[in-house]
Amino acid sequence: MQCIRRQPKRSASQENMLLEQSRRVAALNGIRLGLKDDKDLKFLLKGSQLLKVKSSSWRKERFYKLQEDCKTIWQESKKVLRSPESQIFSIEDIRDVRSGHKTEGMEKYAKDVPEYRCFSIIFKDQRKNLDLIASSEDDANHWISGLGKIIAHSNSMNQKQKLQHWIHTCLRKADKNKDNKMSLKELKDFLKEVNIEVDDYHAKKIFQHCDKSKTEALEDDEIEEFYKILTERKEIDNIFQMYSDSEGFMSCQNLVRFLYEMQQEEDAVVAAPALIKRYEPNERAKRGNAMTKDGFLMYLLSEEGNIFNSSHRKVYQDMTQPLSHYLVSSSHNTYLMEDQITGPSSTEAYIRALTKGCRCVELDCWDGPNSEPVIYHGYTLTSKILFSDVIKAIKNYAFKTSPYPVIISLENHCSVDQQRVMAQHMTTILQDMLLVAPVDGNKSQFPSPEQLKGKILVKGKKLSRQEDPTNGNNNLEAEDVSDEDEAAEIEDESVKTEVQQKGKSDTLKLAKELSDTVVYCKSVHFEGFDDPSHPRAFYEMSSFSESKALKLAQESGTSFIHHNVRHLSRIYPAGWRTDSSNYNPVDLWNVGCQIVALNFQTAGTEMDVYQGRFQDNGFSGYVLKPEFLRDEQTKFNPKSITEGTWGTKKKLLLKIISGQQLPKVNKSKNSIVDPKVTIEIHGVQQDNNKKQTKVIENNGFNPKWDEEFTFDIEIPALALVRFVVEDFDMSTKNDFIGQYTLPFTSLKQGYRHIHLLTKNGDPYSSSTLFVYINIQDCD
């Protein structure tokens, strides 16, 4: 195949041949997905006209089509100078496909269209939802069902299938004239596409080795040979050889030995036959109860070969302890999609937080028009959303990710009349979900997450004459209570001016109806830690700014821990964080603070650590605190660690071996990443540490490091381990490639793969690190 600058115009027969070839590729990819001859898939590959909805005045017809790779959607655009890349989005980027009027956009702008013709595509990152109207119910169903199937089948593919699918897609992309052959130039383009820089000599050597037919072009079996060379994992071959026989089989007995010696698996005898059955593709090996190299690789890439303990993917902790004994995944100003001053408010932000496992959401409530309360960041230019719409979103999504209780944290600035409307909305919309009375008459301590399953609790102010919220109601109509106004703390000149003009009062009149919705989470100002002779009621809880909480943690760590054994504490970001940046949650968890609220919309180290902590215990949003943070007599102080029953000190021995299919961060064709790995420990002060590998130049496809590191871990129960991969840049800040964070106590030992996450916390399809982990007790 010759490389020429201008392709001659194709004849009709050539066009037909290419079209037929394209259909064959699409059919092959459909088979790979397990969707052979699927009607919905065929419809999507053909494509259809859809109405794209942006506003009440913007509703335009556009053509949408699934491309032959069965991984990307092409969308027609009328914009001038729009790049081809911007007209494509990947199915991997889709979080959800919702039928009907299930987004704010559809709710506002498509009410005139029957629900059965409407659907919305929700993306994983901060991209706006894509609201679409089909011309018929059948067309809408094809899109909803087809996309759902592709997403489900793509997610169920094993790593090897994902890799094969990805590489074949890249090969197709590099084949510029679509003749199903690959010239040397196209091979070099392909290598750049998959993020590897190979010098001309090396590229030519690979090319000549595979070009058995000596035609100066690779085709069919020669391309497969090239694929095999490219995906060779010598580091895994070496491990396999240590436990396999001369014929290339690892017997079940030898697999048991590997699992026991290397992987530290206690149930190796039971696990080995199950792994062979599950991952071995060779029928002869499977019949002989043995494993081949391919099966061994598939095991190491599977959930069982993951660095995260797969038994921690389900709820395994005791969920019957009082609510105050758990860390609770919590969001700050949940309604905001961006910054704290001018950004949009959206019900979508609540849906995203709840589906990320969040169990405590915040509602800043203000009087709205037509006697309907609204939610926004007071004194700022953030947009407003209806209180009732947020309560509906919470009802619909509260328990999709976790069955354990959701806490609605109210910051109430409404008049008495609109407070009554708030109470009415919560009662009528949430119905039985809303907790309005104590569980099993428990009035001495919090009920457990288990007892509160499926329930929504309200945190807010309580009328003082209803001193015991667990004791029923009296006839008081309304009364002044102390006001809590976090928005007024914002360090922004326009906000300060607004606060002064409104003449903010320190008190607020509270409606009895709203007061009655508060059962276990009564908001009070913090007046200092308990006087043992006059203990505070367990249901009274305080909110602290990060600076106040960190000061208490620094100066009175043990007292703070004692306080948090019986009481809930909520922490929120400092007023100067107008950009919605986050603070480090670990220091507050270390003193037992449960509701450490972060800005979920802001990606970064803090949210990585947060999601790492809460992927534990089945992603339930509740993690049981270590025993020494649940003991009212504890002497533990994270700032001054003494001898005690805090767990055995550990030594973490870690080897970063290699990386696989790291994504390009700079989409430029000639840009290849120079990856380096940083290992961070986040925990008590003594354990905080950071070490990094050397930089591997021009290889994001299969970089090899083979570097060893050692970390001493003083308090394993509080430590998290974060692996960060960056593209090194000598002159500017390194570009983030991917990361993975997990609790130290969830680490699996031995040879493990780390499946990297994007900056927004979503998994890459096939980007991994391969590592070796060994944990020893310190002497």
Side-chain angles (χ1 to χ4, degrees), residues 558-571:
T558 307
S559 298
F560 211 172
I561 291 168
H562 291 164
H563 174 83
N564 288 326
V565 174
R566 285 191 77 240
H567 300 278
L568 291 173
S569 289
R570 176 177 164 273
I571 320 298

Side-chain angles (χ1 to χ4, degrees), residues 14 53 165 198 259 395 458 463 472 590 691 749 751 768:
Q14 284 175 319
V53 181
H165 194 161
V198 177
L259 293 174
K395 180 194 176 178
V458 176
L463 292 175
N590 289 348
K691 297 181 181 181
Q749 298 192 66
Y751 289 102
T768 51

Side-chain angles (χ1 to χ4, degrees), residues 240 243-245 248-255 272-273 275-293 295-296:
F240 183 79
Y243 291 87
S244 61
D245 60 25
F249 291 104
M250 184 189 286
S251 67
C252 186
Q253 191 178 351
N254 279 348
L255 179 57
L275 291 174
I276 291 169
K277 192 175 178 183
R278 194 171 302 134
Y279 298 114
E280 180 48 57
N282 183 306
E283 286 302 322
R284 182 187 153 206
K286 203 184 275 190
R287 283 195 300 273
N289 204 17
M291 203 173 239
T292 61
K293 192 164 65 177
F296 187 62

Side-chain angles (χ1 to χ4, degrees), residues 581-585 589 598 603-611:
S581 61
N582 280 313
Y583 57 98
N584 177 9
W589 289 333
L598 293 198
T605 305
E606 296 81 11
M607 263 318 286
D608 294 344
V609 168
Y610 207 85
Q611 292 297 83

Side-chain angles (χ1 to χ4, degrees), residues 363-367 373-375 387 410-414 422:
L363 286 67
D364 281 6
C365 311
W366 299 78
D367 280 359
V374 293
I375 290 173
F387 177 84
L410 290 183
E411 190 173 309
N412 167 28
H413 305 278
C414 290
M422 287 165 62

Side-chain angles (χ1 to χ4, degrees), residues 35 308 446 499 517 595:
L35 294 172
F308 185 79
F446 282 109
V499 172
T517 64
I595 301 176

Side-chain angles (χ1 to χ4, degrees), residues 377-490:
H377 205 190
Y379 317 111
T380 71
L381 299 174
T382 57
S383 63
K384 298 170 183 176
I385 48 178
L386 287 175
F387 177 84
S388 58
D389 286 346
V390 170
I391 298 301
K392 285 174 194 167
I394 291 171
K395 180 194 176 178
N396 291 334
Y397 288 88
F399 304 111
K400 283 194 184 293
T401 299
S402 165
Y404 292 100
V406 167
I407 300 169
I408 292 177
S409 180
L410 290 183
E411 190 173 309
N412 167 28
H413 305 278
C414 290
S415 61
V416 170
D417 285 346
Q418 293 213 14
Q419 288 176 42
R420 291 187 178 120
V421 175
M422 287 165 62
Q424 187 184 1
H425 282 322
M426 286 194 286
T427 308
T428 55
I429 294 167
L430 299 177
Q431 298 179 338
D432 290 347
M433 285 182 180
L434 185 67
L435 188 81
V436 291
V439 176
D440 300 336
N442 191 343
K443 297 180 184 180
S444 59
Q445 65 174 15
F446 282 109
S448 68
E450 191 62 37
Q451 290 173 295
L452 292 167
K453 262 185 175 176
K455 289 295 180 186
I456 293 173
L457 286 67
V458 176
K459 170 204 163 286
K461 288 292 180 181
K462 191 80 182 167
L463 292 175
S464 60
R465 293 192 202 169
Q466 291 179 293
E467 199 48 57
D468 180 355
T470 65
N471 237 349
N473 306 321
N474 62 23
N475 297 318
L476 194 69
E477 286 302 313
E479 183 185 86
D480 284 347
V481 293
S482 61
D483 189 18
E484 290 188 359
D485 193 353
E486 290 169 22
E489 297 176 26
I490 291 184

